[in-house]
Amino acid sequence: RNRRTGADGPKKPMDSQAAARRLLCQGALGLRLELETQASQPTKKRPKTNRKLWDLEHGRASLNQWLKQEGLWDRLSNGEKKLLNAPLGAWEEEDVIDVSWHEEALEVLGWALQKVDDVLPYDDEVDRGKNPVHLPLFEATSGFIACAALRPLVEITHARDLAELWL
């Protein structure tokens, strides 16, 4: 019995295109977390961002529009959609913590898709906002998805088995 999912037997791995779509969704959630973090800071202390967004709320709306345009919105859970639709500043601290775990998933999916050479040791946290995976956020994603290639299943299974030891 799988401790993580409660399901019997190994979970069937997703195909490379599904993994690439999920990676893009994780990246979008990470960006939304960045916008939420900036929105919660006093105006004078907001860091400059290199994204071409006129303001934070425009960035939130643009992110949601991009997810829908690229067919990724339907790949999000209802909870993720609710967070993405929430006005800036509406997230609870628990929401911020929960979404920060998506950045951990971002690195692991990036590794599985051969976009990252190694994952951090399992007892290290990913530095929030220092995403090592280049994602085509606010760009067309069809090429990124079409070119996605997973590592060999034996390599992914071995890494999953090691990670489950830490649960």
Side-chain angles (χ1 to χ4, degrees):
R1 192 154 176 88
N2 188 312
R3 294 177 298 185
R4 183 171 32 98
T5 64
D8 291 325
K11 186 176 179 183
K12 182 183 174 191
M14 59 178 74
D15 65 45
S16 57
Q17 284 74 35
R21 287 182 185 95
R22 189 65 196 150
L23 181 63
L24 291 164
C25 290
Q26 299 291 353
L29 286 160
L31 176 55
R32 178 60 173 83
L33 175 60
E34 182 181 321
L35 294 171
E36 187 70 21
T37 301
Q38 289 182 29
S40 69
Q41 294 177 352
T43 305
K44 292 179 182 178
K45 294 184 179 180
R46 286 186 188 153
K48 292 183 179 179
T49 179
N50 61 359
R51 293 179 184 26
K52 295 179 180 178
L53 304 174
W54 292 298
D55 61 73
L56 298 173
E57 186 57 39
H58 176 73
R60 185 196 67 79
S62 297
L63 179 62
N64 290 356
Q65 180 182 0
W66 172 78
L67 285 162
K68 292 170 185 172
Q69 177 184 327
E70 292 300 313
L72 299 169
W73 187 259
D74 293 333
R75 306 287 177 155
L76 297 162
S77 72
N78 289 334
E80 291 167 342
K81 290 175 187 176
K82 182 179 176 184
L83 287 171
L84 288 164
N85 275 327
L88 288 171
W91 284 14
E92 301 291 330
E93 187 172 340
E94 186 177 316
D95 297 326
V96 172
I97 292 167
D98 288 346
V99 173
S100 70
W101 283 104
H102 287 268
E103 296 197 4
E104 303 287 334
L106 185 77
E107 180 183 5
V108 173
L109 274 171
W111 172 83
L113 286 163
Q114 305 180 67
K115 304 291 184 189
V116 175
D117 292 332
D118 296 304
V119 290
L120 288 173
Y122 297 109
D123 56 347
D124 285 356
E125 283 187 40
V126 171
D127 283 340
R128 213 171 95 194
K130 294 185 180 176
N131 176 10
V133 182
H134 172 73
L135 299 175
L137 298 178
F138 297 105
E139 299 173 16
T141 60
S142 57
F144 180 84
I145 294 167
C147 293
L150 288 167
R151 291 178 185 274
L153 183 57
V154 66
E155 198 174 339
I156 292 172
T157 302
H158 176 71
R160 186 198 63 217
D161 291 346
L162 283 174
E164 285 185 346
L165 293 174
W166 284 89
L167 294 178

